């Protein structure tokens, strides 16, 4: 086993806003990673009636959509429709298009895609910033 296989795919991003759920997705996203992501997302929704979301893709090389349980996707979509106001997707546009389709079905979520070079614009759109990591 390669030690890099143990690196978490889903990483929380600390921000200046309690009501902003921000994550970084690194590499290939498998079904267990999506389960982890949705668990974190549900916790954020439980803490706030309305939240904004920021998803940053890094070295993205695909999502195992076919391996993700239909109930998981349905429940995540319902949570998003009930709790998310704005969603900023940063990175590869083909993945963002799939996410936009999943999030937008019947909801009022305002979704914008930003290329990796436009990340500062995504943060500004959400009126937020990333907190520096404690070292």
């Amino acid at each position: 086993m390669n030690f890099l296989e143990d690196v978490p795919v889903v990483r929380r991003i600390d921000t200046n806003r309690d009501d902003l759920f921000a994550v970084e997705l690194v590499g290939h996203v498998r079904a267990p990673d999506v389960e982890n992501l949705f668990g974190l997302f549900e916790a954020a929704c439980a803490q706030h009636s309305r939240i904004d979301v920021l998803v940053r893709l890094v070295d993205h090389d695909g999502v195992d959509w076919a391996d993700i349980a239909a109930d998981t996707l349905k429940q995540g979509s319902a949570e998003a429709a009930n709790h998310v106001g704005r969603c900023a997707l940063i990175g590869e546009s083909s993945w963002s298009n799939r996410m936009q389709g999943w999030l937008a079905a019947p909801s009022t979520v305002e979704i914008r895609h930003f290329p990796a070079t436009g990340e500062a614009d995504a943060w500004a759109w959400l009126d937020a910033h990333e907190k520096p990591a404690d070292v």
Side-chain angles (χ1 to χ4, degrees):
M1 176 186 258
N2 183 331
F3 73 93
L4 290 178
E5 292 176 10
D6 293 334
V7 175
V9 170
V10 179
R11 302 174 189 170
R12 291 286 313 258
I13 301 172
D14 286 330
T15 76
N16 64 314
R17 290 183 46 198
D18 286 344
D19 63 345
L20 174 61
F21 176 68
V23 292
E24 179 175 81
L25 302 179
V26 180
H28 191 82
V29 180
R30 298 171 304 131
D33 302 316
V34 173
E35 294 288 342
N36 179 29
L37 174 63
F38 283 176
L40 294 169
F41 176 67
E42 287 175 348
C45 291
Q47 292 177 349
H48 301 281
S49 61
R50 293 298 283 173
I51 63 172
D52 289 332
V53 174
L54 179 137
V55 179
R56 176 197 299 153
L57 293 176
V58 177
D59 297 328
H60 179 69
D61 70 353
V63 177
D64 293 341
W65 291 106
D67 296 337
I68 302 167
D71 287 346
T72 297
L73 292 173
K74 186 176 179 179
Q75 183 177 354
S77 182
E79 286 284 338
N82 290 328
H83 294 279
V84 177
R86 288 181 162 189
C87 179
L89 303 171
I90 303 167
E92 182 183 313
S93 62
S94 64
W95 185 85
S96 297
N97 291 338
R98 176 86 185 225
M99 281 294 291
Q100 286 177 325
W102 173 76
L103 283 170
S107 87
T108 59
V109 178
E110 186 179 357
I111 304 166
R112 287 196 189 170
H113 170 256
F114 298 86
T117 57
E119 182 170 338
D121 294 332
W123 286 100
W125 182 63
L126 294 172
D127 194 24
H129 64 268
E130 184 174 357
K131 284 186 179 178
D134 292 334
V135 181

